[in-house]
Amino acid sequence: HYIHPFTDHGQLAGRGARVITRGEGIYIWDSEGNRILDAMSGLWCVNAGYGRKELADAAYQQLMTLPYYNSFFQTTNVPAAQLAAKLADLAPEVGGRHFDHVFFSSSGSESNDTNVRLVRRYWDLLGQPQRKTIISRHNAYHGSTMAGASLGGMSGMHAQGDLPIPGIVHIEQPYYLENAKPGESEAAFGVRAARWLEEKILEIGPDKVAAFIAEPVQGAGGVIIPPATYWPEIQRIVDQYGILLISDEVICAFGRLGHWFAYEKFGYRPDLVTFAKGVTSGYVPLGGVMVGDRVAKVLIEQGGEFNHGYTYSGHPVACAVALANIRLIRREGLVDKVREDTGPYLAAQFETLKAHPLVGDAESRGLMAAIQLVKDQARGTPFAPELEVGMVCRGHCFGNGLIMRAVGDRMIIAPPLVTTRAQIDEMMGLIRRCLDLTWTDVRARGWV
Ligand code: PXG
């Protein structure tokens, strides 16, 4: 009866689905009673870990007090107003820019649809209606609605349903292993990759470009970490041409990279910040856009009515859970812990993976990490994609009680922020075992 997301239904009907029935801490259990270490935090969202009673209590209390009311027609509700103020307080000021306002939705996709509406409205109000084009990147993920999938750069998604919609174009991603020239340094590549944005702006005409959208670190694309030179050069370019910068932090905000918001880590100055997932640790759906003062001022002072909003914008239960989640993350010092303790510890562990013969590269930032599987470690030669070595490895992970995702031959993790050093050790043991099993398979099949 159930049409699953991103699933081949014919295949699923034949194989059946694994049923997940319970979660506690960083572990989930399936209906067969198997315990699985969830190194993906569900889908990058269960930042506070499973089974947090105070999040359930916050939802219950709010459900009993006021389960729903909208924020249309000059009304509001207490949790939505409180959460907006709390988020404004958490979002750091950079270069004199403040985030005093927030627009709520129920997901990352909806939030990016809101971004498209917001940036086009902004330029209309400033008397530049020709500024419509939004530039994004290949292999970006910005959601699955018409605008979200169009902003994203997933060719498989564009191929279904005549996407992207008009006015959205893509440049190449800052993926060193795939897009650098032979012998090019990471630093030089970072600047060159950022200048693809400038080339695209000049090709379209600077007066026609509305915004650039990007993830601080690409998540669904395979945890692709840009060189340190990338973001400063992007900032120079958006400043020079006056275009809006949208930081899509649906994965990276709320502690994933050791900061409440990731733009702080990389030191750039976005005008709009998309968030979802970790804001409630995934316990209930909530998303939104932090609106910086550049856009907020125009929208509020010149905008009149903004003809946009969702039934569940500022949903009181979702906002109450988000407030409880932020309190919990603060009380347990999880953001600092990731930045100063478990993040660096994971990075040191990942460094040791580079000795494994199957590993071409292993890298992490905060609690977000990737392992590149290669055929020839010395030369960095990839496997033929049709061998699907990543899927072989993922199969071993499932079989050994570990959720680690495969994006092509990149194995990726993003464990809950509550993960301890001892649990990182346990996870590394499982990762090594699965790499060994995969290595045995690829040798037995004559693939190396
Ligand atoms: N932006 C980013 C950066 C995301 O990672 C979205 C927007 C869309 O959010 P919603 O809440 O509408 O799903 C996302 C979501 C995967 C995977 O396989 C990643 C996401 C969603 C589903 C699967 O890695 N990211």
Side-chain angles (χ1 to χ4, degrees), residues 6 40 43-44 106-112 140-145 214-221 248-252 274 276-277 286 405 407 412:
F6 281 94
M40 275 308 299
L43 272 180
W44 323 81
S106 303
S107 69
S109 300
E110 285 178 352
S111 303
N112 281 327
Y141 192 85
H142 296 299
S144 203
T145 50
E215 299 153 84
V217 170
Q218 283 153 266
D248 183 344
E249 307 204 0
V250 165
I251 287 175
C252 293
T274 324
K277 297 190 191 270
L286 179 69
R405 286 226 9 229
V407 178
I412 61 176

Side-chain angles (χ1 to χ4, degrees), residues 424-444:
I424 290 175
D425 292 343
E426 181 191 348
M427 182 177 76
M428 293 308 298
L430 291 170
I431 289 175
R432 284 205 181 81
R433 184 190 305 167
C434 297
L435 289 174
D436 288 345
L437 290 167
T438 309
W439 178 239
T440 306
D441 279 351
V442 298
R443 275 191 307 173

Side-chain angles (χ1 to χ4, degrees), residues 350-406:
F350 257 58
E351 194 58 34
T352 67
L353 287 178
K354 290 180 179 170
H356 195 282
L358 197 54
V359 175
D361 194 26
E363 239 194 319
S364 74
R365 291 289 183 281
L367 289 191
M368 203 171 167
I371 305 164
Q372 183 87 24
L373 306 181
V374 289
K375 178 183 163 84
D376 181 335
Q377 197 181 39
R379 294 196 183 83
T381 322
F383 286 102
E386 60 273 18
L387 298 177
E388 298 195 332
V389 173
M391 293 304 276
V392 173
C393 185
R394 195 188 75 166
H396 285 304
C397 295
F398 267 136
N400 284 274
L402 172 69
I403 303 267
M404 174 159 72
R405 286 226 9 229

